[in-house]
Amino acid sequence: LLVLATGARHSYFGKDAWESLAPGLKKIDDATAIRARILAAFEQAESCEDAAERCRLLTFVIVGAGPTGVELAGAIAELAHHGLQGEFRRADPASARVILVQSAPRVLPAMADSLAAAALVSLRQLGVDVRLNARVEQIDTAGVTVGGERITAGTVLWAAGVMASPAGRWLDARRDNAGRIIVEADLAVAGLDGVWAIGDTAACPSPEGGTLPGLAAVAKQQG
């Protein structure tokens, strides 16, 4: 009996130099580092005397509007508008810009249209600037370039591409474009007796068609 649950990592679509500039969220350590980075941005803005630099520090760009990107954008916007209210004298947290960039025509592309539409409304109510059909062309220490537009930003976070672990290559199993092992409805790996794959390692068929999204809830149920 072998159950593969080797997870996934971020894919920067061949732009691996962006990884240090736009970290992703996959592990607890990632979450801790991102939280510290976001809070540090507000603290630096408080001590900054230059208005333009303060604006840059309070601009947050999230690349990718899947579940992780949507949650990140919403959490940062909620923190800025509500969680940090009254905490600073010079910098106004509510003036922070939270920009969510998505190359697809809608947020949450792996989910139902109704859920995506509701999420979009909620994001905009929180003050998130959602940019659809927009592709990131450059990321550097000063910000990003999106669709030819330069955006100066102090914090850029990556939630766009996901690449499965090399488990599928180890087994020479059928894989999807993200490298996930294509499994049967019972999570079995076709052609290999006694081998199953779950979580981000597996591309599991959904009863409604397509594949199940790479969410913690799905992985827990598969486990």
Side-chain angles (χ1 to χ4, degrees):
L1 172 64
L2 174 64
V3 178
L4 293 167
T6 48
R9 62 184 179 86
H10 289 285
S11 171
Y12 288 82
F13 307 113
K15 304 285 188 179
D16 293 341
W18 291 356
E19 185 170 5
S20 61
L21 302 168
L25 176 57
K26 277 293 178 190
K27 301 175 293 185
I28 292 176
D29 288 347
D30 296 337
T32 303
I34 287 173
R35 179 180 182 274
R37 185 168 179 166
I38 291 168
L39 293 176
F42 286 102
E43 292 170 359
Q44 290 168 19
E46 171 69 5
S47 61
C48 180
E49 298 183 358
D50 181 79
E53 176 62 9
R54 189 182 307 127
C55 180
R56 187 188 76 83
L57 288 168
L58 292 179
T59 299
F60 302 86
V61 176
I62 299 93
V63 183
T68 300
V70 166
E71 288 189 29
L72 270 175
I76 296 171
E78 194 167 33
L79 177 68
H81 291 284
H82 304 291
L84 295 178
Q85 189 175 17
E87 294 292 327
F88 300 98
R89 296 179 180 178
R90 177 180 293 162
D92 178 12
S95 68
R97 300 172 65 202
V98 181
I99 302 171
L100 180 61
V101 179
Q102 170 71 333
S103 61
R106 68 178 179 93
V107 301
L108 301 176
M111 296 188 177
D113 290 345
S114 59
L115 294 176
L120 181 61
V121 170
S122 296
L123 287 168
R124 287 177 169 161
Q125 287 176 342
L126 285 170
V128 178
D129 179 359
V130 182
R131 305 195 180 188
L132 303 175
N133 294 306
R135 189 175 298 276
V136 173
E137 298 162 348
Q138 180 62 36
I139 301 176
D140 54 45
T141 56
V144 301
T145 302
V146 179
E149 177 187 354
R150 180 65 181 170
I151 301 173
T152 57
T155 301
V156 182
L157 302 174
W158 189 265
V162 174
M163 181 181 297
S165 78
R169 295 200 301 273
W170 300 340
L171 301 177
D172 194 24
R174 283 199 310 135
R175 304 181 294 277
D176 67 3
N177 291 336
R180 299 179 299 173
I181 298 171
I182 298 174
V183 297
E184 307 293 345
D186 63 351
L187 306 175
V189 178
L192 293 173
D193 292 337
V195 180
W196 289 264
I198 66 174
D200 287 338
T201 309
C204 181
S206 169
E208 292 79 25
T211 56
L212 294 174
L215 299 175
V218 172
K220 285 179 179 179
Q221 290 181 34
Q222 290 175 343

